[in-house]
Amino acid sequence: SQQGEEDPQALSIQEGENATMNCSYKTSINNLQWYRQNSGRGLVHLILIRSNEREKHSGRLRVTLDTSKKSSSLLITASRAADTASYFCVPRAGANNLFFGTGTRLTVIP
Amino acid sequence: NAGVTQTPKFQVLKTGQSMTLQCAQDMNHEYMSWYRQDPGMGLRLIHYSVGAGITDQGEVPNGYNVSRSTTEDFPLRLLSAAPSQTSVYFCASSYEEGTGGYTFGSGTRLTVV
C-alpha cells in the first residue's frame, strides 16, 4: 500500500493546546506531504518534507520525518478553532498520483 | 489566478443518466487527477493525466472516462450513473513531480438516486 496511515483517527483538544498527529507508511519515499481538509471543503497542501530532511517548520506547524522507522509527525502549536479539520499524510515515492488514507480528524474546542 | 475550478458544485442524477464533471486549471500544470472521497475510505484515485493527450487509470476507474485534449482541462465523464457513484469528487493538479504539493478544486458533491 502506498498510502500513509494516520494516528490517532480522532483528536480533541482545547484551544491553545498543541496537537500532535502521527503517520506511518510502508514504502521508500522521496518526500512526505501533509494536507488539511476542512469539513465539506477541498484539500489544502500544508507542508512537504524531503526524505533527506528530519525536521521542518512552517508557521505553527512542525513536521518530523524518520525514514528508518517510516514515520512522520505533524505538530500544530497553539491550536485555534480554525485548525479544526482532517489531516492527511501522503508519502510520495515518485508516482504522479497521490494516495490518501482516512486521516486524523482534529477538533479544537474554543 | 483561479487555481483549480470544478463545476458543478452539486449535482443529482438518476440512475442510468450520464454527465460530465468539469475541471479546469490556469496554472499550466502538467499533472491532473480525479479523486472520489467516501466516508471512512479516504480519497481514492479514479484517473490521472501526466500531460495533454495522456491519461491513465487509478484505483477505481470503472464507470468513468476521462480525456485531456488541452493542458487546462480534464473532464470526468460518468457513462451510466449508479448509486455507488454517490460521492464527493475532487480534481487536483500539480506542475512538477516532487517540487511541491497538489492544488485541489473545491469538489463536486454528486448524488445518484
Side-chain angles (χ1 to χ4, degrees), chain A residues 2-95:
Chain A
Q2 299 182 52
Q3 66 192 44
E5 293 184 12
E6 298 87 357
D7 177 71
Q9 289 187 334
L11 178 61
S12 183
I13 60 174
Q14 296 290 328
E15 199 167 33
E17 294 181 338
N18 296 342
T20 300
M21 288 157 270
N22 301 299
C23 169
S24 61
Y25 57 92
K26 296 180 180 177
T27 63
S28 296
I29 63 171
N30 294 332
N31 63 72
L32 186 141
Q33 302 174 20
W34 285 89
Y35 288 79
R36 182 188 72 217
Q37 183 180 32
N38 295 93
S39 179
R41 302 182 68 178
L43 286 144
V44 174
H45 176 251
L46 294 176
I47 194 168
L48 178 152
I49 185 166
R50 302 190 187 282
S51 59
N52 61 354
E53 298 175 310
R54 292 296 168 258
E55 186 172 314
K56 195 166 184 177
H57 297 255
S58 177
R60 294 185 296 113
L61 305 180
R62 172 178 168 260
V63 170
T64 64
L65 179 64
D66 186 335
T67 53
S68 66
K69 295 181 179 179
K70 291 187 166 54
S71 66
S72 175
S73 69
L74 172 66
L75 168 68
I76 304 174
T77 60
S79 63
R80 306 166 181 169
D83 294 328
T84 294
S86 291
Y87 292 81
F88 300 88
C89 72
V90 182
R92 301 298 306 280

Side-chain angles (χ1 to χ4, degrees), chain B residues 65-85:
Chain B
N65 274 358
V66 292
S67 60
R68 186 91 180 273
S69 56
T70 67
T71 299
E72 293 77 20
D73 300 298
F74 191 43
L76 177 72
R77 298 184 189 84
L78 278 70
L79 309 174
S80 178
S84 61
Q85 293 179 304

Side-chain angles (χ1 to χ4, degrees), chain B residues 32-84:
Chain B
M32 297 186 74
S33 306
W34 275 102
Y35 295 83
R36 59 178 290 174
Q37 185 176 35
D38 302 293
M41 301 187 73
L43 275 82
R44 293 182 292 170
L45 179 67
I46 305 171
H47 286 284
Y48 66 98
S49 168
V50 300
I54 306 170
T55 63
D56 205 349
Q57 297 181 346
E59 302 171 78
V60 287
N62 293 339
Y64 308 94
N65 274 358
V66 292
S67 60
R68 186 91 180 273
S69 56
T70 67
T71 299
E72 293 77 20
D73 300 298
F74 191 43
L76 177 72
R77 298 184 189 84
L78 278 70
L79 309 174
S80 178
S84 61

